[in-house]
Amino acid sequence: MLLYLVSATTVTNNQGVMDSYVNPGLQSQIDELTQSKIGHMVIDLAEVTMRVTGAVDSLVEGVKAFGRQIEERLKLENTQWEVVESEHNAKVISLSSQANQAEFDINREKKVLNSELIPRLHELDDILLGLKAKQTDNAQSFKEAEAARNTQHDSFVLTTTEFTDALRNIDEALDLLTDLFKSGEVRAAFIEVTDEQKHKVNKALRQVKANTENFGHQYSSFIQALTNLTEGFNFKDRQVLKEMCDFLNSLRLNIFDALTKAYKDEDSQKQQDELRRQQLTAEKAVFDQQYADFYQEREDKTVRISDVETMISTREADLKAYQDRLRTENNNYSANLKIHDDIVSSVQQELAVLAKALQVVQTPPFLDFLNGRIAKAEKINLI
């Protein structure tokens, strides 16, 4: 009969028919316990245990054992959470360190780029521009020197040609005059001159005059003297012939000296031109070498800038990846922390309910409450 009652009895509500047996304080505690499943279970088991054994001692031991199991579960949860938290902290430290290193690399490379490489590139552009201007000036100086030398040489050729022609005409006139001077009696004051001879001498003298007129003001006195001698001169007076020869010899010597000076000037100008060309060639070599060196440096800086910009882009991508992973890790940690806190809170609530239940089920009022419910249930079954 007892076993039948145990198997057939199910407590679904701790309120109702037995309310008259329960004092308000106990009823409040029972209501509080039965709001949770575990509390409701303990109350139900308490009644069953009381029906079967007549006491709740075994229930108390069972609840204590169950509580220890829950405490072990809580301990295991905390131990597992410590592992999760340790792994999280390690990941955060690693990702933060990697992100900080990436940020440091970015700032370092940007500093190199903005304070060293780009300013130097602009400086090299200015240097190359200046060297290009010097190369242009040097090439222009070469052209000007060549043009000046050509002008000097052309002037030399023209001058020496004129001097040579003048000397040839003077020599021709001297030959004619000398022949006249030697003709006839040596002591005779006058000589016989044919029209043909006179014509040849006048022609030669006019040619000499024409030559010397091109030589400039330094020969003006010779030109005037030659003009005075040739006008109305019949070449018969031996003394006049001698003076004419002396004059032409003096003019010849003067022109020869001028011709000699022209050759010396030409040699001097050649040497000066050669020195000028050597100077310009040396300058060109320096400018070309400097331009090549600075141009190569600029090429190297351009490549370096490209490498640095690539490095910055790569490290910026790395930084973003680290920050994204760190954000995901923190979000996951926050979600797991909430789960952990919910589990801990739930378990702690269960332990609190068990502790409260243990306290209630061992109080005399609760035992009286159980006995009253059992007795009333038995009367109902007997009827």
Side-chain angles (χ1 to χ4, degrees):
M1 182 65 180
L2 181 58
L3 291 174
Y4 171 78
L5 289 173
V6 170
S7 62
T9 302
T10 300
V11 180
T12 59
N13 190 351
N14 290 313
Q15 303 181 29
V17 295
M18 294 302 294
D19 288 349
S20 59
Y21 294 97
V22 184
N23 63 58
L26 178 60
Q27 185 63 52
S28 174
Q29 292 176 331
I30 292 173
D31 291 343
E32 181 181 350
L33 289 172
T34 54
Q35 287 179 1
S36 68
K37 292 181 180 181
I38 193 168
H40 204 296
M41 180 192 70
V42 173
I43 297 300
D44 289 346
L45 287 174
E47 183 174 351
V48 172
T49 303
M50 181 63 78
R51 285 178 183 276
V52 174
T53 65
V56 295
D57 294 344
S58 60
L59 173 65
V60 170
E61 293 303 319
V63 170
K64 287 182 179 180
F66 183 58
R68 286 192 292 271
Q69 290 179 358
I70 294 177
E71 287 177 344
E72 287 299 321
R73 182 156 62 91
L74 178 61
K75 183 178 179 181
L76 177 61
E77 173 64 24
N78 286 330
T79 300
Q80 292 175 340
W81 178 250
E82 288 177 357
V83 174
V84 171
E85 193 170 42
S86 177
E87 291 176 350
H88 165 73
N89 290 335
K91 288 181 180 179
V92 168
I93 291 173
S94 176
L95 290 172
S96 297
S97 176
Q98 289 174 313
N100 290 337
Q101 183 60 49
E103 191 169 9
F104 174 81
D105 293 343
I106 292 169
N107 292 333
R108 181 194 61 208
E109 295 302 316
K110 283 185 176 180
K111 181 179 179 181
V112 171
L113 183 66
N114 296 322
S115 63
E116 296 180 19
L117 296 179
I118 292 180
R120 180 54 179 169
L121 187 66
H122 293 162
E123 183 180 359
L124 288 171
D125 286 339
D126 292 339
I127 291 173
L128 290 173
L129 189 62
L131 286 173
K132 180 61 71 175
K134 290 181 179 180
Q135 288 175 321
T136 301
D137 292 343
N138 180 264
Q140 182 62 31
S141 296
F142 258 113
K143 292 180 180 179
E144 292 174 356
E146 184 177 7
R149 180 67 195 113
N150 289 337
T151 300
Q152 290 173 348
H153 182 68
D154 291 343
S155 177
F156 164 75
V157 171
L158 178 61
T159 300
T160 54
T161 299
E162 291 177 344
F163 283 160
T164 302
D165 290 344
L167 289 174
R168 184 178 65 253
N169 291 325
I170 290 172
D171 288 341
E172 183 179 350
L174 282 173
D175 289 341
L176 291 173
L177 292 174
T178 300
D179 290 341
L180 288 177
F181 184 79
K182 291 180 179 179
S183 64
E185 294 293 333
V186 176
R187 295 182 181 182
F190 295 94
I191 58 178
E192 294 293 333
V193 178
T194 66
D195 291 338
E196 182 182 357
Q197 289 175 322
K198 182 177 180 181
H199 174 73
K200 288 181 178 180
V201 172
N202 278 325
K203 181 180 178 181
L205 291 177
R206 282 197 299 271
Q207 189 60 49
V208 171
K209 179 182 177 183
N211 290 140
T212 55
E213 284 177 346
N214 296 327
F215 296 161
H217 67 278
Q218 66 268 36
Y219 293 98
S220 59
S221 59
F222 288 101
I223 295 172
Q224 185 61 44
L226 186 60
T227 301
N228 295 334
L229 287 172
T230 56
E231 289 179 354
F233 178 55
N234 57 17
F235 304 105
K236 293 181 179 181
D237 190 328
R238 188 181 292 277
Q239 182 60 36
V240 174
L241 283 175
K242 182 178 182 303
E243 291 177 1
M244 178 65 75
C245 289
D246 292 341
F247 167 78
L248 288 176
N249 279 319
S250 176
L251 178 59
R252 187 182 189 286
L253 181 61
N254 191 283
I255 292 175
F256 183 80
D257 289 343
L259 180 62
T260 302
K261 182 178 184 302
Y263 274 100
K264 289 182 179 179
D265 290 344
E266 173 70 2
D267 291 338
S268 176
Q269 289 167 355
K270 281 184 179 179
Q271 292 177 358
Q272 291 177 1
D273 178 68
E274 182 62 27
L275 291 175
R276 179 58 174 161
R277 287 176 179 273
Q278 290 176 0
Q279 177 190 359
L280 292 174
T281 300
E283 289 178 356
K284 183 179 184 301
V286 172
F287 295 152
D288 290 348
Q289 186 61 52
Q290 288 178 340
Y291 190 90
D293 293 342
F294 284 118
Y295 186 83
Q296 184 60 50
E297 183 183 353
R298 189 188 186 284
E299 289 294 298
D300 295 341
K301 286 293 183 290
T302 301
V303 173
R304 175 72 174 123
I305 287 173
S306 178
D307 292 342
V308 169
E309 288 175 342
T310 300
M311 169 67 75
I312 291 174
S313 298
T314 300
R315 295 304 282 158
E316 285 178 341
D318 292 341
L319 177 60
K320 185 179 183 303
Y322 295 141
Q323 290 173 337
D324 289 343
R325 290 172 58 188
L326 186 60
R327 189 179 302 107
T328 300
E329 176 63 27
N330 286 329
N331 290 339
N332 292 339
Y333 174 77
S334 297
N336 291 333
L337 178 61
K338 185 178 185 308
I339 294 173
H340 168 71
D341 290 343
D342 290 344
I343 293 174
V344 170
S345 176
S346 175
V347 172
Q348 288 176 340
Q349 289 177 1
E350 290 177 357
L351 288 174
V353 169
L354 286 177
K356 182 69 174 178
L358 283 174
Q359 182 181 2
V360 171
V361 298
Q362 296 182 84
T363 60
F366 183 74
L367 296 176
D368 292 342
F369 162 73
L370 290 180
N371 288 327
R373 290 193 64 171
I374 292 170
K376 186 165 184 176
E378 290 175 350
K379 288 180 181 180
I380 294 172
N381 289 333
L382 289 174
I383 296 173

